[in-house]
């Protein structure tokens, strides 16, 4: 297999922006009014990726364990902050702590197991494996918890009467909110399950595509993709279940009464 990597020149990258121009023309003609958001998103994406590229070059060349740990820590912090920002619900300090705890526990457990047991990288802080794999696991878990927060909050609001009726009949908060918790968990993991269903036939995943483009054998790339997808599933499941089983309790007071929520 040819391992020569085709490097893209600046003019080739610039030529790819024609797709943004097409999108701008479409939204302009249709009167959708998204031009400013599209331009900002395009510029922000470009600057962020260029910055990350230079940072990763430095980290890969330094092979310093502290740099690898710092990079993963920054990713975790940004992911948690992004959950707070993407959630339209009003978050209390307690539920924010639960989100952070669930995110950190679920992702770090999955990352460490995947790297030390499944891949068995050496040295343990090898940024070539540690950072990309951590990024995929953290990113997917962030989406899962965001959906979990939305599901729990909406369920408690929309089914308030049902929950309160169950409480009056003697049910515990756990029993009264069981269906809401299960529904929130199901909604949060569904995108991950759906991505597994179409993987390989409908689309080639990003990690697999990147490896193939870099000259890796498709069979080796397939093995890595299967392994990382299973790691992502485990991380999303663990992070979300931790959040929903701990997070639902924040909607009840110390007397096991459902707290009034803002509409």
């Amino acid at each position: 297999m040819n391992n020569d990597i085709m490097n893209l020149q600046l003019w080739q990258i610039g030529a790819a922006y024609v797709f943004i121009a097409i999108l701008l023309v479409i939204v302009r003609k249709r009167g959708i009014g998204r031009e400013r958001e599209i331009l900002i998103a395009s510029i922000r994406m470009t600057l962020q990726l260029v910055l990350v590229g230079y940072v990763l070059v430095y980290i890969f060349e330094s092979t310093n364990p502290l740099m690898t740990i710092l990079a993963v820590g920054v990713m975790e912090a940004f992911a948690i902050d992004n959950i707070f920002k993407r959630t339209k619900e009003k978050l209390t300090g307690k539920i924010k702590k639960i989100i952070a705890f669930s995110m950190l526990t679920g992702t770090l457990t999955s990352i460490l197991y995947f790297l030390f047991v499944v891949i068995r990288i050496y040295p343990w802080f090898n940024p070539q494996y540690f950072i990309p794999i951590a990024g995929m696991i953290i990113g997917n878990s962030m989406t899962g918890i965001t959906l979990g927060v939305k599901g729990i909050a909406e369920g408690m609001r929309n089914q308030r009467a049902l929950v309160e009726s169950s409480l009056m009949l003697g049910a515990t908060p756990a029993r009264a909110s069981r269906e809401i918790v299960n529904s929130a968990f199901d909604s949060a993991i569904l995108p991950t399950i759906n991505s597994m269903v179409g993987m390989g036939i409908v689309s080639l995943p990003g990690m697999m595509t990147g490896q193939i483009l870099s000259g890796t054998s498709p069979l080796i790339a397939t093995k890595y993709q299967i392994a990382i997808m299973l790691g992502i599933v485990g991380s999303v499941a663990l992070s979300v279940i931790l959040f929903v089983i701990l997070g639902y309790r924040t909607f009840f007071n110390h007397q096991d009464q459902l707290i009034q929520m803002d509409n």
Side-chain angles (χ1 to χ4, degrees):
M1 186 171 181
N2 185 9
N3 289 322
D4 293 335
I5 301 174
M6 296 178 61
N7 189 21
L8 294 178
Q9 302 299 318
L10 286 177
W11 73 265
Q12 292 173 297
I13 298 174
Y17 280 90
V18 70
F19 299 110
I20 297 297
I22 292 172
L23 176 57
L24 288 171
V25 170
I26 293 173
V27 298
R28 179 82 174 184
K29 290 289 186 181
R30 305 297 299 182
I32 297 175
R34 291 279 185 184
E35 296 93 335
R36 185 172 180 272
E37 292 179 44
I38 293 169
L39 285 172
I40 291 175
S42 302
I43 295 171
R44 181 172 176 175
M45 177 270 296
T46 303
L47 294 177
Q48 288 177 170
L49 288 178
V50 169
L51 176 61
V52 168
Y54 280 108
V55 170
L56 288 179
V57 167
Y58 174 76
I59 294 175
F60 284 12
E61 291 178 349
S62 68
T63 60
N64 186 324
L66 293 179
M67 293 301 298
T68 300
I69 294 172
L70 178 62
V72 175
V74 170
M75 286 191 288
E76 291 278 13
F78 270 92
I80 293 170
D81 183 64
N82 202 28
I83 294 173
F84 297 160
K85 291 179 178 178
R86 289 170 60 182
T87 303
K88 296 181 181 179
E89 307 292 337
K90 184 177 180 180
L91 302 176
T92 63
K94 188 174 182 180
I95 201 167
K96 284 184 177 180
K97 291 178 181 178
I98 292 174
I99 289 172
F101 172 79
S102 303
M103 186 70 186
L104 290 171
T105 302
T107 56
L108 291 179
T109 300
S110 300
I111 291 168
L112 295 178
Y113 179 85
F114 188 85
L115 293 174
F116 298 154
V117 177
V118 178
I119 297 183
R120 301 175 67 182
I121 63 170
Y122 181 83
W124 66 266
F125 54 85
N126 188 337
Q128 181 182 353
Y129 291 90
F130 211 120
I131 294 176
I133 289 172
M136 286 183 283
I137 287 177
I138 291 171
N140 283 273
S141 297
M142 175 188 71
T143 301
I145 291 185
T146 301
L147 293 173
V149 174
K150 181 175 181 289
I152 285 281
E154 289 184 351
M156 290 295 184
R157 181 185 299 109
N158 297 335
Q159 301 184 47
R160 181 180 184 86
L162 181 61
V163 173
E164 290 181 332
S165 296
S166 298
L167 292 173
M168 286 189 291
L169 292 174
T172 62
R175 185 67 189 88
S177 57
R178 181 180 178 84
E179 295 303 320
I180 295 174
V181 169
N182 288 345
S183 178
F185 178 79
D186 181 58
S187 298
I189 65 169
L190 189 58
T192 304
I193 296 174
N194 287 339
S195 67
M196 293 175 64
V197 173
M199 194 167 288
I201 302 299
V202 177
S203 65
L204 289 179
M207 178 183 180
M208 185 174 175
T209 301
Q211 286 185 308
I212 292 173
L213 289 175
S214 67
T216 303
S217 166
L219 294 179
I220 295 176
T222 298
K223 293 177 183 177
Y224 269 93
Q225 186 59 58
I226 291 172
I228 188 59
M229 194 63 223
L230 296 175
I232 287 172
V233 170
S235 177
V236 172
L238 182 57
S239 300
V240 174
I241 196 63
L242 280 173
F243 169 74
V244 294
I245 63 177
L246 295 175
Y248 86 89
R249 198 65 185 81
T250 63
F251 292 89
F252 297 87
N253 60 25
H254 65 282
Q255 295 179 324
D256 290 344
Q257 297 170 326
L258 194 59
I259 297 173
Q260 182 66 42
M261 298 175 60
D262 296 329
N263 292 321

